[in-house]
């Protein structure tokens, strides 16, 4: 707490996930635990991409295209690392146009 660069609050984290609390009623009918897990995972990916300043649709399309050939098998760690939102190539390809 002595570091002045560390905020004394977590407002940005709470704001990022307030939509989940608002949508809880809508997601009550995810119909299965797998559906709820998928919703949570997708929501986390979208929120992270937004916080990194990426075009979310471009980012999701790029990730899905790169993962497509591993359908039904384990995706290698280096492939996963190559599509993380803070990767320089991803930031360049999926940057928001201003």
């Amino acid at each position: 707490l002595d570091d002045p660069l560390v905020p004394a609050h977590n407002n940005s984290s709470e704001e990022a996930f307030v939509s989940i609390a608002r949508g809880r009623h809508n997601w009550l009918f995810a119909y299965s635990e797998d559906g709820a897990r998928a919703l949570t995972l997708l929501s986390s990916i979208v929120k992270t991409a937004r916080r990194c300043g990426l075009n979310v649709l471009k980012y999701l399309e790029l990730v899905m295209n790169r993962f497509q050939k591993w359908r039904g098998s384990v995706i290698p760690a280096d492939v996963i690392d190559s599509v993380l939102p803070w990767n320089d190539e991803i930031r360049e390809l999926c940057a928001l146009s201003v």
Side-chain angles (χ1 to χ4, degrees):
L1 292 175
D2 295 332
D3 187 348
L5 298 177
V6 177
H9 56 78
N10 67 347
N11 291 348
S12 60
S13 298
E14 288 182 15
E15 288 172 6
F17 287 95
V18 73
S19 62
I20 292 174
R22 285 189 199 132
R24 188 177 7 200
H25 177 72
N26 296 332
W27 302 324
L28 181 63
F29 303 102
Y31 296 113
S32 69
E33 283 187 39
D34 289 340
R37 281 190 195 99
L39 178 66
T40 304
L41 179 63
L42 185 60
S43 177
S44 179
I45 291 169
V46 167
K47 302 276 183 195
T48 302
R50 280 187 189 150
R51 285 203 43 103
C52 289
L54 301 180
N55 178 318
V56 175
L57 291 177
K58 278 186 186 177
Y59 177 67
L60 289 174
E61 181 180 10
L62 187 141
V63 170
M64 297 303 168
N65 285 334
R66 290 200 184 172
F67 286 175
Q68 187 174 8
K69 69 178 174 181
W70 282 281
R71 177 184 259 154
S73 62
V74 177
I75 301 170
D78 61 320
V79 174
I80 293 172
D81 289 343
S82 74
V83 297
L84 292 175
W86 42 85
N87 181 302
D88 290 335
E89 178 192 7
I90 296 300
R91 287 178 159 266
E92 199 172 297
L93 291 172
C94 299
L96 288 172
S97 51
V98 180

